[in-house]
Amino acid sequence: MTTFSNSDYNSDNYRKFRPNYQQDLYQLVYKQHTENGANFDVALDVGTGTGQVAESLAARFQKVYGIDSSSTMLDSAIKGNNIIYSVGSAEDLSQFGSQSIDLISVAEAFHWFNHSKFFDEVQRVLKPQGTLVIIGYSFLLLEGQQEATEKTKKLELELTPFFEKGHEHLRSLYRDIHIPMHNVQRLYYPRYGSEPFMRESFTVSHLRSYFKTSSAYKTYCAKFPLANDIVDTSINEMLKEGQLPENQLFDVTWESVIILGHMR
């Protein structure tokens, strides 16, 4: 994913303005992991970015590795005494021994991978009874604000052509990708249960910054440097039409998926 690897990409803003995952999501993963008879010794977060998932895993696992193809993103990664970061790709996990990892996580990065090569490596490095968890989120949902949700979806669709190849898998929440693991479960929000996997309270300023962390936004600005800012234009229209609360917080969730699979 070349945009996130560029030295001028603002990885600090990515860490600040991208959403975190609810603790209930991790508890669901840990419950499945435990029921499959796996241990909590070593976890590997692939495509770790700035380390949000690695940080959460480090509260439960004795050691957590976080790898990313972008050193720019790793420069802003969240530090931890039991977290080890390194540059590496999903398709080459040769820095890890066979059957050495209890859990592999991928959050909001799976669509960029060469999936067949990644799954070959997953099958090699996961321990017996080990767990693979894949998390993805797509369209943003402003709770109780249907018109604003539709406008933000329109903005996201306008930016879609400027994503690199692979993003189409995320739009479908990975429904189009076969997962060659055992006991595979696919859990979707808002279809699964009543609680979202992700929820944040945003201000209008945070909403602007969230959209501007998108690689598609970065590509759009590079292609049309003299155009009006596509994010600011859209959000200013929503403010003018009274579709966003200008001076107060509002709740945001995301269309999202958790995929769980296990080794025998």
Side-chain angles (χ1 to χ4, degrees), residues 22-35:
Q22 300 285 97
Q23 282 304 308
D24 286 351
L25 180 153
Y26 291 103
Q27 294 309 313
L28 171 66
V29 171
Y30 298 154
K31 180 175 183 292
Q32 295 290 325
H33 187 66
T34 300
E35 290 177 353

Side-chain angles (χ1 to χ4, degrees), residues 129-231:
Q129 287 81 51
T131 300
L132 170 67
V133 54
I134 299 167
I135 306 167
Y137 61 89
S138 183
F139 291 114
L140 177 148
L141 309 170
L142 286 78
E143 292 191 335
Q145 300 181 66
Q146 184 62 33
E147 288 184 340
T149 294
E150 291 302 321
K151 284 288 182 66
T152 58
K153 185 174 183 177
K154 180 175 180 288
L155 171 60
E156 293 186 72
L157 290 172
E158 288 174 349
L159 286 170
T160 293
F162 301 94
F163 281 109
E164 293 182 31
K165 182 175 174 56
H167 190 264
E168 65 276 7
H169 299 304
L170 181 60
R171 283 287 183 248
S172 72
L173 295 178
Y174 308 140
R175 288 179 175 89
D176 56 339
I177 300 175
H178 173 64
I179 309 297
M181 305 289 289
H182 297 285
N183 301 323
V184 173
Q185 298 181 64
R186 296 175 185 253
L187 310 175
Y188 297 96
Y189 179 81
R191 294 183 181 179
Y192 173 78
S194 59
E195 291 298 316
F197 304 137
M198 308 157 63
R199 171 180 278 129
E200 298 282 347
S201 293
F202 273 13
T203 62
V204 171
S205 176
H206 194 139
L207 184 65
R208 291 183 196 272
S209 297
Y210 164 77
F211 278 117
K212 291 182 180 184
T213 64
S214 164
S215 61
Y217 170 78
K218 185 81 171 176
T219 302
Y220 178 93
C221 291
K223 188 168 184 177
F224 302 108
L226 301 180
N228 291 332
D229 189 290
I230 189 172
V231 171

